[in-house]
Amino acid sequence: MSQERFLMLVSEHPVAARRAATGLWSLVLAGLLWGTGGPTGSLLAHETGLSPLAVAAYRLAAGGALVIAWLCLTRQPLPRGRRAWARMLVNGLLAAVFQAGFFAAVSLTTVSLATLLTIGTSPALVLSAEWITGRRRVSTRMLATVALAVSGLVLLVGTPSGDLAATTVLAGAGFALLSAAGFATMTFIGTRPVAGLPDLTATGVSFAIGAAVLAPAAAVTSGMDFVPTRASVGLLLLLGTAPTAVAYALYFRGLRSAPASTAALIALLEPLVATLLATLFLGDRLGPTGLVGAGLITTAIVLNARGTRKLSQGR
């Protein structure tokens, strides 16, 4: 269905308009929950000594296992259709690419540069895909909103410090762009839901597949052994629940009624919330430049959400 046809139907049916508004709030809540993943993962790594790649593998494994356990307890059957399993397999592989590419970029460069290229490039990639496939007309307003958000991200996360070799930076940038492509592709195909595939089920099975892909790589490169304690197990369960299982289920639900580029832009809430939480609880400092960046990201997200709601209401 083209975006024009979708917007026409939404404007004619109040129920569809309410569904679109609910989708936007689902995306916002997903972005807020994602923001808790960075600080939680950092605490887990500090508590256990696990590498970032191992934390990512455990994150997907915990999120997938918790969802699948819930599906079993509530006796919800798994989908049987070929299209449903194909979508879950693709999402699982994309999740593994997204996580592995990001942490590879971090290991070669810095967290700030990896975050900037991965999260900042995703909206542009999705918007380009929508324009190429005819799903959305790229307006000057939308381009300005994306530019505003990316500028805010640059100010928020900063630029890499230290002397890095050009070849290392290029390799890290390549992995970051691969990570961005994985997230953008997952977002783009998520706007075409598969009939009979609930969002929670898709999240659980996809992440179990992603964990199965990442775990061997983490075991070979850095190891996955750690001593389980109350703190480490609690942090792992928290990481697998709020910013993983719940957040991605909400994200996939929001993609059912919102343009992919809108969802990718709202995802910038993740670094914003993570930075604020790190400032409040982990002792990080947010200077004037970071505050300006946070304000720009917030403004861009609000403008984007308001523009999407006005379109969905047929104004």
Side-chain angles (χ1 to χ4, degrees):
M1 180 187 297
S2 66
Q3 187 189 21
E4 289 77 10
R5 176 61 177 166
F6 168 75
L7 294 176
M8 183 178 68
L9 291 175
V10 168
S11 64
E12 294 175 352
H13 299 283
V15 174
R18 288 195 296 271
R19 186 179 302 140
T22 301
L24 281 176
W25 282 111
S26 296
L27 294 173
V28 169
L29 184 55
L32 294 174
L33 291 175
W34 277 338
T36 67
T40 305
S42 297
L43 290 173
L44 178 61
H46 178 74
E47 179 71 22
T48 60
L50 291 170
S51 69
L53 185 59
V55 170
Y58 273 119
R59 176 182 183 177
L60 293 182
L66 289 170
V67 172
I68 292 174
W70 172 257
L71 295 176
C72 293
L73 288 174
T74 55
R75 298 182 179 180
Q76 298 183 39
L78 293 176
R80 297 183 179 180
R82 181 180 300 177
R83 290 188 61 199
W85 280 97
R87 173 62 62 85
M88 291 187 292
L89 176 61
V90 170
N91 279 343
L93 295 176
L94 290 173
V97 168
F98 169 59
Q99 295 286 340
F102 177 76
F103 287 116
V106 169
S107 67
L108 290 172
T109 57
T110 63
V111 174
S112 61
L113 183 59
T115 301
L116 177 61
L117 290 177
T118 301
I119 305 298
T121 305
S122 296
L125 291 177
V126 174
L127 192 62
S128 299
E130 286 184 328
W131 175 68
I132 292 172
T133 58
R135 290 194 190 182
R136 187 170 191 174
R137 294 179 180 177
V138 180
S139 64
T140 304
R141 176 190 176 94
M142 187 62 192
L143 290 175
T145 302
V146 172
L148 184 67
V150 174
S151 299
L153 183 62
V154 172
L155 295 176
L156 180 68
V157 304
T159 56
S161 58
D163 296 327
L164 295 174
T167 54
T168 302
V169 172
L170 288 176
F175 280 115
L177 293 177
L178 177 64
S179 176
F183 180 77
T185 303
M186 186 168 61
T187 298
F188 187 71
I189 66 175
T191 56
R192 299 292 176 89
V194 176
L197 179 59
D199 302 313
L200 193 60
T201 302
T203 302
V205 178
S206 296
F207 284 175
I209 295 172
V213 174
L214 280 186
V220 170
T221 57
S222 60
M224 295 189 65
D225 296 335
F226 71 95
V227 178
T229 62
R230 287 186 178 181
S232 62
V233 173
L235 287 169
L236 180 57
L237 291 175
L238 178 60
L239 182 63
T241 305
T244 306
V246 177
Y248 275 95
L250 287 169
Y251 190 70
F252 288 137
R253 177 177 297 180
L255 286 174
R256 292 176 178 265
S257 56
S261 53
T262 295
L265 196 61
I266 292 177
L268 267 71
L269 279 170
E270 177 183 359
L272 174 60
V273 174
T275 300
L276 294 177
L277 289 177
T279 301
L280 292 174
F281 300 107
L282 299 181
D284 290 359
R285 293 184 179 181
L286 187 62
T289 302
L291 289 173
V292 173
L296 292 179
I297 292 175
T298 304
T299 301
I301 291 174
V302 171
L303 291 175
N304 184 43
R306 289 182 62 184
T308 302
R309 287 190 64 182
K310 287 181 180 181
L311 283 173
S312 67
Q313 292 169 357
R315 295 179 183 176

